């Protein structure tokens, strides 16, 4: 189902929805703890978010990184953030704005 959300025309809505799914599935019951409701669903949502995107992806991944405690999910989030940082820097090699690297700090 997460993969079917990709063709939706409103990109920011899709990314926000996938971020919400990753957050809900990645947190434990009660919203905390090292367990997750469904690691498989969280990873599926993160997999779609991993496709090249913009700063909208960073916001969603940051929310997941702040709430989720499952180490395997956090490792995937870190990997996606690094790939997104590389993608954004490669897309605009003349980036001199330190706020972008500050927002993408891992």
């Amino acid at each position: 189902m997460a993969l079917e959300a990709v063709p939706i025309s409103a990109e920011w809505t899709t990314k926000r929805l996938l971020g919400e799914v990753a957050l809900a599935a990645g947190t434990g019951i009660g919203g905390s703890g090292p367990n997750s409701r469904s690691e498989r669903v969280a990873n599926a949502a993160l997999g779609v978010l991993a496709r090249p995107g913009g700063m909208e992806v960073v916001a969603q991944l940051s929310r997941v990184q702040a709430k989720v405690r499952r180490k395997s999910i956090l490792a995937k989030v870190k990997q996606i953030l690094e790939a997104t940082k590389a993608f954004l820097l490669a897309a605009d090699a003349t980036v001199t704005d330190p706020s972008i690297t500050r927002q993408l700090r891992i």
Side-chain angles (χ1 to χ4, degrees):
M1 189 166 88
L3 292 174
E4 292 301 318
V6 175
I8 296 175
S9 61
E11 284 290 320
W12 67 271
T13 305
T14 305
K15 291 174 182 165
R16 184 170 181 189
L17 175 65
L18 289 170
E20 291 290 333
V21 168
L23 185 62
T27 55
I29 296 175
S32 63
N35 296 324
S36 61
R37 288 183 179 103
S38 177
E39 186 174 353
R40 184 176 283 185
V41 172
N43 282 330
L46 291 173
V48 177
L49 280 174
R51 295 179 180 182
M55 293 301 289
E56 313 89 37
V57 174
V58 175
Q60 299 307 315
L61 293 173
S62 297
R63 292 181 60 230
V64 171
Q65 193 174 38
K67 288 268 194 169
V68 173
R69 297 291 167 244
R70 184 88 175 168
K71 290 184 181 187
S72 59
I73 296 173
L74 290 175
K76 185 166 183 117
V77 168
K78 183 177 179 182
Q79 176 188 10
I80 296 168
L81 282 171
E82 288 173 354
T84 302
K85 180 179 178 180
F87 173 76
L88 290 174
L89 292 175
D92 187 14
T94 61
V95 172
T96 57
D97 185 6
S99 67
I100 290 177
T101 51
R102 195 175 327 118
Q103 289 176 352
L104 293 175
R105 188 166 292 137
I106 298 167

